C-alpha cells in the first residue's frame, strides 16, 4: 500500500486536525503520567513519550460501560438496549506492542461463536495509528519474546516510523488509507523504505530482556499441581494493578445498579487477582488462595490462550513488571517455569 | 549498610536454626534496577538473600497479619491439643513496628506469635519521585553509593542525592527506629525531620472548602479502583471489605466518581488512629493518587483531639476503641 513522508514535528498538528472531525485518542501528559485520553480542544498530545501508563484497551473495552437499561412498570419490565453506537474514532500513536494487543483481544471478543457487540462496534469505528519504537522505551520491554517487534504494523491501520530526517507513514489497511489526506502528499521513496528496515532491525536487536514464553507451554500442560506454584504468590498483594494495566487482560464483571423502578446493567473490569472474582453465591470459592489466582494468571496468558487461539496473551509491554507494587516479575515467573 | 546485611543474615540464620521462628519476612533484591522486594525465608541457606537498605519500601506488617490469620484458619479444624503455633519473624523498621503494635492493640494475635528483628531506618526512596527526578527517563541500571544514587537512564547517566528523593513520609518521620523489638540489628538511625510533619496539611487547611473539595475530586478521578492501597495497608485487614459486600451493596462497581470517592473516604476514615504513615498505599498506587494529604489531616486531628499517635506506644488504647469515664463527658455520649 501507499507510503508517504511527513515532517517529524507534524504529528501533533495532524492529530489536532483529526480531532476536529473524529474522536481522537492520543497520549497526553497528566501530572507525572502519560495517559491515552480523548484529545480535548487546545490540549497538546505528547508523541515523545516512552509508553502510556494505562494500556489503550480502554478505547474498545472501557473500565465501565452500560449494557442496557430497564424500568419496572405496572405492565411488566420494559427493556431498552443502550444504543450501541461508537463515534468515529482515531487511536493516534499507540506503541506496536499495544496495537498487537488488539489482534489478541479480537480473537476473544470477535470470534466465530461469540461476538461481543460492544467491543466490535468500537473496534470497527476506530482507526489505529501505531508509532513505532525506533529504540525500545524501557529496559524491561520484551515484545520480541512474545511474537512482537518494536517496529511492527501488527494490529495497526497506519504505521508511523521516525526514520531520522522525516517520519515514514505506511498505510496498512484500506481503513488507514481513508485518512491519507491528513498526511500531506510527499511520496516515500525506496531509500526511506530501506532506512526504515534498517531501523527496525536495530530496534529489534536492542530488546535485551528475553523470556522463554513459547517454551513453557508444554511445561504448563503437565504442571498444574507442581509445588512450584507454592513459591511465587507469597508477596502478591492481591491488588488488580497488573491486570488493570495489562493491554490483554479482559476479564469483566456484570452488575445491576437499581434505583427505585429503574435499573442499569453495567459491565466493568474485573481481575483474577481479586478473591471475589471466583467467589460463588453459596460463599464457596474454588480458588482458595492467591496461589490458585496466580497460577490462573500464568496459565491463562501462556497456556489457555494458546490452547484456544494459538497465541500468547502477553505483548511484552512490561507494564505489569514496572507497576507491580511488590516487584512480582512475570518475566522471572516464566523463567522459573521454564526450569521445571 | 553492608554490615547491617551481614548481621541481619546471621541473626536470621540463628533464629531459623534454633527454630525460634517458622519463617522470616524480609526484603531481597528486586528484578528491576533500584528495587527491593518482600521475601519469605524458611531455611538458613536462603537467609543470604536478605537485604536492608533505602530501597525497602513495603511495610511488612501486612504479611505478618496475613500469615498468622491464614495459619489460625488452617488450625480451626485441628483438635485443640494438636494445634501448632506458628511464629513469624519480621524485619521491622519504625513504621512496621507501629503497625505491629496496632495489630497487637487490636488483639489480632499474641505478642509471642511474632519475632521482631528491629532495623534502623533513614528513609526509603520514593520510586515515583525518582522517576520524576530523572525527567521520566527509563532507569536501566542504578546503584546506591553513600548519599548518592547513580543511574544509567535512557537519557544518559544521572546522579541524584538520596535525601532529595526520599518518600515524603520518610522525610518527616517521627519514629524511624523500632518502637518494640526482640532483637535490634545495628545502631539507631539519626532522627529525621518530624517538625515539618504537618507542613503540607497546614497549608492545605488554609485553603477554602471549594479548593479542598476540588483537590479531593481531582485526586479521586485518577483512581482506577485496583485496590492496591487497601491491599498494601497493614491496617486494612477486614476479611471482607465493605466495597465487596453485595448484600447489601454499599458501593457501585463502576467508574461513577461518587463510588470511587465513597470507597476512598471510607478507607480514610477507617484509618483514624490506625495510619502509621508508612507510605505503602502511596508507593503502590499505580496512578499516583495523593492519599497522604488526607491521611495526614486525619492523623493531625487524632493527635490534637485525643493526644494519640497511631501505634507509638504499646500501652495506649486505640483512640476509637477507648472510653474514658473521667474525660468522655460530652453530652453526645450520654444523651445522643
Amino acid at each position: 500500500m501507499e507510503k508517504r513522508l511527513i515532517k517529524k514535528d507534524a504529528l501533533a498538528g495532524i492529530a489536532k486536525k483529526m480531532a476536529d472531525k473524529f474522536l481522537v485518542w492520543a497520549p497526553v501528559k497528566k501530572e507525572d503520567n502519560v495517559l491515552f485520553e480523548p484529545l480535548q480542544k487546545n490540549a497538546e498530545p505528547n508523541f515523545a513519550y516512552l509508553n502510556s501508563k494505562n494500556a489503550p484497551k480502554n478505547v474498545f473495552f472501557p473500565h465501565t460501560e452500560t449494557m442496557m437499561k430497564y424500568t419496572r412498570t405496572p405492565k411488566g419490565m420494559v427493556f431498552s438496549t443502550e444504543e450501541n453506537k461508537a463515534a468515529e474514532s482515531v487511536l493516534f500513536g499507540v506503541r506496536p506492542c499495544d496495537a498487537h494487543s488488539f489482534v489478541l483481544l479480537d480473537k476473544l471478543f470477535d470470534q466465530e461463536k461469540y461476538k461481543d457487540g460492544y467491543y466490535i462496534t468500537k473496534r470497527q469505528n476506530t482507526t489505529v495509528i501505531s508509532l513505532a519504537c525506533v529504540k525500545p522505551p524501557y529496559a524491561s520491554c520484551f515484545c520480541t519474546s512474545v511474537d512482537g517487534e518494536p517496529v511492527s504494523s501488527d494490529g495497526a491501520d497506519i504505521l508511523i516510523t521516525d526514520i531520522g530526517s522525516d517520519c515514514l507513514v505506511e498505510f496498512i489497511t484500506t481503513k488507514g488509507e481513508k485518512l491519507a489526506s491528513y498526511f500531506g502528499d510527499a511520496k516515500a521513496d525506496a531509500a526511506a523504505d530501506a532506512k526504515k528496515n534498517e531501523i527496525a532491525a536495530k530496534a529489534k536487536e536492542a530488546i535485551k530482556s528475553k523470556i522463554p514464553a513459547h517454551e513453557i507451554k508444554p511445561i504448563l500442560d503437565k504442571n498444574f499441581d507442581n509445588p512450584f506454584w507454592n513459591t511465587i504468590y507469597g508477596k502478591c498483594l492481591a491488588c488488580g494493578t497488573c491486570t488493570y494495566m495489562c493491554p490483554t487482560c479482559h476479564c469483566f464483571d456484570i452488575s445491576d445498579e437499581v434505583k427505585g423502578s429503574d435499573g442499569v446493567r453495567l459491565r466493568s473490569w474485573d481481575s483474577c487477582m481479586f478473591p471475589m472474582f471466583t467467589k460463588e453465591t453459596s460463599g464457596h470459592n474454588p480458588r482458595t488462595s492467591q496461589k490458585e489466582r496466580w497460577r490462573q494468571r500464568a496459565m491463562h496468558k501462556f497456556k489457555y490462550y494458546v490452547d484456544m487461539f494459538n497465541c500468547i496473551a502477553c505483548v511484552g509491554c512490561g507494564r505489569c513488571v514496572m507497576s507491580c507494587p511488590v516487584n512480582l516479575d512475570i518475566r522471572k515467573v516464566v523463567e522459573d517455569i521454564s526450569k521445571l | 549498610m553492608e554490615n547491617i546485611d551481614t548481621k541481619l543474615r546471621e541473626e536470621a540464620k540463628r533464629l531459623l536454626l534454633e527454630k525460634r521462628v517458622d519463617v522470616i519476612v524480609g526484603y531481597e533484591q528486586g528484578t528491576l534496577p533500584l528495587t527491593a522486594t518482600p521475601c519469605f525465608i524458611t531455611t538458613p541457606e536462603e537467609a543470604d538473600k536478605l537485604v536492608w537498605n533505602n530501597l525497602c519500601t513495603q511495610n511488612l506488617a501486612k504479611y505478618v497479619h496475613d500469615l498468622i490469620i491464614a495459619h489460625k484458619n488452617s488450625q480451626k479444624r485441628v483438635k485443640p491439643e494438636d494445634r501448632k503455633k506458628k511464629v513469624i519473624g519480621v524485619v521491622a523498621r519504625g513504621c512496621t513496628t507501629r503497625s505491629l503494635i496496632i495489630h497487637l492493640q487490636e488483639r489480632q494475635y499474641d505478642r509471642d506469635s511474632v519475632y521482631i528483628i528491629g532495623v534502623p531506618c533513614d528513609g526509603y526512596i520514593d520510586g515515583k519521585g525518582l522517576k520524576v527526578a530523572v525527567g521520566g527517563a527509563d532507569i536501566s541500571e542504578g546503584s546506591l553509593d553513600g548519599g548518592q544514587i547513580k543511574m544509567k537512564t535512557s537519557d544518559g547517566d544521572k546522579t541524584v542525592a538520596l535525601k532529595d528523593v526520599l518518600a515524603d513520609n520518610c522525610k518527616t518521620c517521627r519514629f524511624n527506629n523500632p518502637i518494640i523489638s526482640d532483637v535490634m540489628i545495628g545502631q539507631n538511625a539519626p532522627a529525621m525531620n518530624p517538625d515539618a510533619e504537618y507542613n503540607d496539611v497546614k497549608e492545605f487547611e488554609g485553603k477554602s472548602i471549594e479548593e479542598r473539595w476540588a483537590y479531593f475530586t481531582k485526586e479521586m478521578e485518577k483512581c482506577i479502583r485496583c485496590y492496591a492501597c487497601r491491599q498494601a495497608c497493614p491496617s486494612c485487614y477486614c476479611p471482607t471489605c465493605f466495597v465487596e459486600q453485595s448484600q447489601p451493596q454499599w458501593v457501585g462497581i463502576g467508574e461513577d466518581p461518587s463510588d470511587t470517592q465513597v470507597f476512598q473516604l471510607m478507607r480514610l476514615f477507617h484509618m483514624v488512629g490506625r495510619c502509621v504513615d508508612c507510605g505503602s498505599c502511596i508507593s503502590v498506587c499505580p496512578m499516583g493518587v495523593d492519599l497522604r494529604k488526607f491521611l495526614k489531616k486525619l492523623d493531625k486531628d487524632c493527635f490534637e483531639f485525643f493526644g494519640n499517635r497511631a501505634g507509638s506506644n504499646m500501652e495506649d488504647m486505640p483512640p476509637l476503641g477507648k472510653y474514658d469515664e473521667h474525660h468522655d463527658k460530652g453530652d453526645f455520649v450520654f444523651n445522643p
Side-chain angles (χ1 to χ4, degrees), chain A residues 31-33 50 53 63-64 137-139 234-235 237-240 244-245 255 257 268 274 276 321 325-327 329, chain B residues 30-32 37-38 40 58 62-63 132 136 138 154 218 222 224-226 228 231 244 252-255 284 286-287:
Chain A
E31 295 183 11
D32 298 334
N33 290 328
L50 297 176
K53 185 81 193 174
H63 180 285
T64 307
Y138 306 104
K235 63 181 170 181
L237 294 174
C239 74
Y244 279 19
M245 294 291 143
S255 70
E257 285 187 356
S268 340
F274 295 155
M276 274 291 282
V321 177
V326 293
N327 183 230
D329 190 329
Chain B
T31 61
L32 294 172
T37 175
F40 303 86
Q58 294 300 305
K62 179 233 157 31
Y63 296 109
V132 173
D138 181 46
S154 50
K218 172 183 85 86
K222 296 187 211 165
I224 55 169
R225 303 268 292 276
C226 66
Q231 296 303 108
E244 269 139 19
I253 63 165
E255 262 182 333
V284 301
M287 307 316 285

Side-chain angles (χ1 to χ4, degrees), chain A residues 32-313:
Chain A
D32 298 334
N33 290 328
V34 174
L35 302 173
F36 263 99
E37 293 203 337
L39 196 56
Q40 306 294 334
K41 282 259 176 299
N42 305 323
E44 248 339 280
N46 175 4
F47 292 116
Y49 77 128
L50 297 176
N51 201 357
S52 59
K53 185 81 193 174
N54 63 338
K57 71 176 173 188
N58 62 330
V59 175
F60 308 127
F61 174 52
H63 180 285
T64 307
E65 68 186 315
T66 305
M67 301 180 86
M68 66 164 186
K69 292 180 176 170
Y70 48 87
T71 309
R72 193 190 320 208
T73 68
K75 288 179 186 160
M77 295 294 266
V78 177
F79 298 97
S80 78
T81 324
E82 192 58 3
E83 232 187 317
N84 187 26
K85 229 166 62 182
E88 203 156 329
S89 315
V90 176
L91 179 47
F92 203 122
V94 286
R95 292 297 178 193
C97 55
D98 290 337
H100 180 199
S101 79
F102 305 145
V103 179
L104 301 177
L105 290 173
D106 287 347
K107 291 186 194 281
L108 180 102
F109 285 117
D110 190 5
Q111 48 183 301
E112 213 168 291
K113 203 166 164 194
Y114 303 104
K115 300 241 176 251
D116 187 287
Y118 303 97
Y119 174 92
I120 292 172
T121 312
K122 295 186 198 66
R123 183 83 169 93
Q124 280 173 348
N125 283 325
T126 306
T127 308
V128 176
I129 305 179
S130 283
L131 190 59
C133 298
V134 292
K135 78 176 193 203
Y138 306 104
S140 48
C141 289
F142 58 98
C143 60
T144 52
S145 299
V146 284
D147 308 317
E149 275 183 41
V151 181
S152 159
S153 61
D154 209 12
D157 298 301
I158 298 173
L159 173 67
I160 301 176
T161 313
D162 181 345
I163 55 167
S165 46
D166 296 291
C167 281
L168 175 68
V169 183
E170 295 171 87
F171 301 94
I172 312 294
T173 63
T174 41
K175 199 166 145 193
E177 240 172 9
K178 283 189 191 141
L179 295 180
S181 60
Y182 286 90
F183 292 91
D185 46 17
K187 296 257 186 297
D189 51 11
D193 229 17
K195 183 86 190 140
K196 182 218 149 189
N197 290 338
E198 187 190 314
I199 285 169
K202 241 189 221 161
K204 198 175 164 185
E205 196 75 356
I207 301 268
K208 294 284 184 259
S209 180
K210 297 208 158 64
I211 62 165
H214 286 280
E215 288 85 326
I216 64 168
K217 164 74 170 74
I219 303 171
L220 290 173
D221 284 342
K222 287 182 294 197
N223 284 290
F224 189 80
D225 291 318
N226 195 299
F228 163 77
W229 300 111
N230 293 323
T231 64
I232 56 165
Y233 72 94
K235 63 181 170 181
C236 176
L237 294 174
C239 74
T241 305
C242 52
T243 54
Y244 279 19
M245 294 291 143
C246 177
T248 68
C249 276
H250 52 258
C251 288
F252 56 81
D253 188 15
I254 293 175
S255 70
D256 283 10
E257 285 187 356
V258 183
K259 274 191 199 109
S261 52
D262 295 318
V264 184
R265 181 156 295 175
L266 297 175
R267 141 159 116 179
S268 340
W269 289 355
D270 206 343
S271 168
C272 57
M273 293 289 108
F274 295 155
M276 274 291 282
F277 184 65
T278 45
K279 194 165 178 181
E280 295 165 6
T281 321
S282 65
H284 171 66
N285 197 335
R287 289 186 203 144
T288 48
S289 76
Q290 212 56 22
K291 168 191 163 179
E292 289 80 9
R293 294 170 207 135
W294 240 100
R295 177 173 62 195
Q296 167 64 22
R297 179 166 155 77
M299 286 278 188
H300 197 178
K301 297 218 167 290
F302 298 98
K303 170 176 157 54
Y304 304 145
Y305 221 72
V306 183
D307 284 338
M308 288 185 299
F309 306 118
N310 200 24
C311 52
I312 291 171

